[in-house]
Amino acid sequence: MKLYFVRHGESEANTRHVISNRESPFGLTTLGKRQAAELAESLKSIPMTSIFSSPILRAIETAEILSQKFQLPIQVTESLREYDCGILEDKSDQASWEAHRTTYQEWTLRQNFHYKPEGGESFLDIQNRFLPFIEKITNENLYVDNHILLIGHGGLFTLMLPLVLNNIDKDFFSNGFGHTQCVAAELMSNRLVMISTFG
């Protein structure tokens, strides 16, 4: 079984520099749609069996483009949602982005996993929805040659993939997780191992 972790294409939230991880009104830009179409083309030889997506618009629109290529339905799950930034949501000012960076640094540099912006999620909150989801789909498909697409977000995958992929650590994504970047992982002896990254 193989899992393909894909970040959405460029969105209007990215170009407007808005923190928008809840019911975001910002969909893909023209570039973002092209990125998703190019990714779909590069993945076309893989016999995908399932597509899961975050419920956030930019992820859904990316998943729709991939869904058309593979003729598969989209299964929407809260487990792939970007982390909730609480009172920072819908903000674009410098102070809010500084607070956003502080949250990330508390998690990644100081291992303060309980820290969270007011009204938002902590690292442990994110972990407690993401890890059981990955465990569930790998256990359900343990002996099946499935190829599963998971459309999510850069922050989510940067934080969580080092917890589920046995051959990478938290420094692996030090340069970020690019738009429509894909990390392919394979289940080997009940362990998920990254086998490639592209896009």
Side-chain angles (χ1 to χ4, degrees), residues 6-9 14 21 58-59 80-83 100 104 151-162 173 176-181:
V6 172
R7 184 187 178 192
H8 59 80
N14 300 129
N21 297 344
R58 55 189 181 267
L80 293 175
R81 177 187 288 276
E82 186 62 294
Y83 57 85
H100 187 276
Y104 193 82
I151 316 301
H153 302 269
L156 175 77
F157 288 152
T158 299
L159 293 167
M160 293 293 112
L161 290 190
F173 296 112
F177 201 107
H179 293 118
T180 61
Q181 181 176 342

Side-chain angles (χ1 to χ4, degrees), residues 110-123:
R110 289 177 277 279
Q111 286 76 57
N112 183 2
F113 299 135
H114 291 279
Y115 185 90
K116 57 184 172 183
E118 182 182 338
E121 287 185 293
S122 69
F123 184 96

Side-chain angles (χ1 to χ4, degrees), residues 1 7 18 29-30 41 50 54 65 83 88 96 113 127 136 164 172 193:
M1 184 180 68
R7 184 187 178 192
V18 178
T29 62
T30 299
E41 185 64 22
S50 304
S54 155
I65 292 169
Y83 57 85
L88 304 178
S96 295
F113 299 135
Q127 178 179 304
K136 181 175 185 287
V164 298
F172 184 82
V193 177

Side-chain angles (χ1 to χ4, degrees), residues 21-183:
N21 297 344
R22 288 181 178 170
E23 300 307 318
S24 173
F26 301 113
L28 296 180
T29 62
T30 299
L31 173 59
K33 292 174 183 176
R34 186 165 70 247
Q35 290 169 333
E38 289 171 354
L39 178 65
E41 185 64 22
S42 69
L43 294 174
K44 68 179 182 181
S45 63
I46 298 171
M48 296 296 178
T49 52
S50 304
I51 299 176
F52 291 89
S53 175
S54 155
I56 298 176
L57 182 60
R58 55 189 181 267
I60 289 287
E61 289 186 349
T62 302
E64 285 172 345
I65 292 169
L66 291 160
S67 172
Q68 291 170 11
K69 172 64 72 174
F70 295 108
Q71 295 297 297
L72 290 170
I74 300 167
Q75 301 178 64
V76 177
T77 173
E78 291 286 329
S79 303
L80 293 175
R81 177 187 288 276
E82 186 62 294
Y83 57 85
D84 192 313
C85 293
I87 61 172
L88 304 178
E89 290 287 337
D90 303 319
K91 303 286 182 61
S92 59
D93 60 282
Q94 184 176 346
S96 295
W97 277 108
E98 284 295 332
H100 187 276
R101 277 188 285 274
T102 295
T103 298
Y104 193 82
Q105 289 169 353
E106 286 291 331
W107 296 340
T108 58
L109 299 181
R110 289 177 277 279
Q111 286 76 57
N112 183 2
F113 299 135
H114 291 279
Y115 185 90
K116 57 184 172 183
E118 182 182 338
E121 287 185 293
S122 69
F123 184 96
L124 294 176
D125 291 330
I126 305 162
Q127 178 179 304
N128 288 338
R129 62 176 164 85
F130 183 80
L131 267 58
F133 168 70
I134 298 301
E135 182 178 351
K136 181 175 185 287
I137 62 173
T138 52
N139 285 344
E140 286 180 349
N141 296 282
L142 191 56
Y143 302 106
V144 182
D145 186 24
N146 278 353
H147 296 259
I148 301 172
L149 262 175
L150 302 115
I151 316 301
H153 302 269
L156 175 77
F157 288 152
T158 299
L159 293 167
M160 293 293 112
L161 290 190
L163 303 182
V164 298
L165 304 182
N166 282 266
N167 57 337
I168 67 171
D169 60 23
K170 65 182 180 62
D171 297 322
F172 184 82
F173 296 112
S174 59
N175 293 322
F177 201 107
H179 293 118
T180 61
Q181 181 176 342
C182 177
V183 170

